[in-house]
Amino acid sequence: MSASQKFWGHRNRAIMQDRYVGDIGDFAKYALLRCLSYGKRLGVLWYLYPDEKKSSDGRHIQYLDREADWRYLDENLFDKMKQIVNSDRRSVARVKANSVLPNAVFVDQPLEITKVPVRCRPEWRWKWFDAAHGRLSECELIFADPDNGLFPDDRFRPTVKRSAKSIPESEVRKLSAGDRPVVVYHHNTRCKGGHFAEIANWQRRLPGEVYAYYWRRWSNRTFFVLNCEPWMVERLKDFAKRWRTNGELILPPE
């Protein structure tokens, strides 16, 4: 194992598949986006990967039975999540249909690279992202939601399956060009130094001042916020304060 592999670590779970819809991570994710997208046209880029039936991810829905502990954080969202889960039709299509993120633009072409010949995958991936980028051109805030999160450009291989579950730095830079605010989901890994070292590393690698909201309940994840406008910083701080028992805001490195 190389030194780079030792630092970046291994993935243990994923997030953007239909079977995750409505779980506790989804509740936190959509609550954060509802907070930050106030007055902005939101674009959601789902790196939608086919469900992996053998995994047990997406099972954390017990919070829906504990209304006193969770509903007050975002009552409208909580009710929508409960409705989706109880319908037994958990899918990103239901997220759109139930107006979880009102007026958002969604890009949800599946990343099914296993159906693409290996030699054609780099071009296919480029065309997939280029089309998605074009669809989001009028959006003022972008949320990128890959299965596993961020991945270094120098290790990104579009020919392999895991590339469909990650977002390389180059795609983040394109989405955030022109100082457009972008929120990127990242599933924390077993990297050398722990999660906070991993977060700090990504804050240094990504362009501009990068805020990070670290969710530490059940399955650890981080939401990186790039090009955060001053009013968005204040809303982000308010969100972190309201949700302080579940996560924390990490400011950009000095």
Side-chain angles (χ1 to χ4, degrees), residues 32-157:
L32 178 62
L33 293 176
R34 285 156 65 97
C35 174
L36 294 180
S37 62
Y38 180 80
K40 292 277 190 184
R41 189 172 193 196
L42 174 65
V44 177
L45 177 49
W46 275 323
Y47 285 59
L48 189 59
Y49 194 79
D51 279 358
E52 296 172 309
K53 301 299 184 182
K54 292 183 179 180
S55 174
S56 61
D57 291 346
R59 66 186 182 279
H60 297 299
I61 57 175
Q62 297 90 343
Y63 76 99
L64 293 170
D65 297 323
R66 297 164 52 193
E67 292 194 11
D69 296 328
W70 294 99
R71 188 172 182 270
Y72 77 96
L73 292 165
D74 189 326
E75 295 180 359
N76 180 265
L77 176 61
F78 182 94
D79 293 343
K80 290 179 183 295
M81 292 290 96
K82 192 165 189 174
Q83 182 181 15
I84 291 173
V85 171
N86 287 345
S87 72
D88 201 28
R89 290 184 292 170
R90 297 168 68 182
S91 69
V92 294
R94 300 300 301 172
V95 172
K96 292 190 290 184
N98 284 36
S99 297
V100 171
L101 299 171
N103 304 315
V105 175
F106 296 96
V107 176
D108 57 358
Q109 180 186 356
L111 268 166
E112 296 187 76
I113 66 166
T114 56
K115 297 183 179 180
V116 180
V118 174
R119 62 183 176 81
C120 300
R121 288 177 185 177
E123 182 180 7
W124 187 92
R125 172 65 180 241
W126 178 83
K127 288 182 177 179
W128 175 88
F129 179 78
D130 190 55
H133 190 233
R135 288 269 313 272
L136 300 170
S137 61
E138 301 300 319
C139 295
E140 301 165 299
L141 169 67
I142 302 297
F143 174 56
D145 194 13
D147 260 24
N148 288 336
L150 292 157
F151 208 77
D153 278 344
D154 60 355
R155 292 182 55 209
F156 186 75
R157 301 291 183 269

Side-chain angles (χ1 to χ4, degrees), residues 194-221:
H195 292 170
F196 289 104
E198 180 183 28
I199 291 168
N201 184 67
W202 277 116
Q203 286 181 305
R204 290 190 295 267
R205 291 180 69 110
L206 296 174
E209 286 192 334
V210 181
Y211 289 80
Y213 180 72
Y214 174 62
W215 174 268
R216 57 175 176 264
R217 298 290 294 274
W218 290 289
S219 182
N220 302 93
R221 65 202 70 199

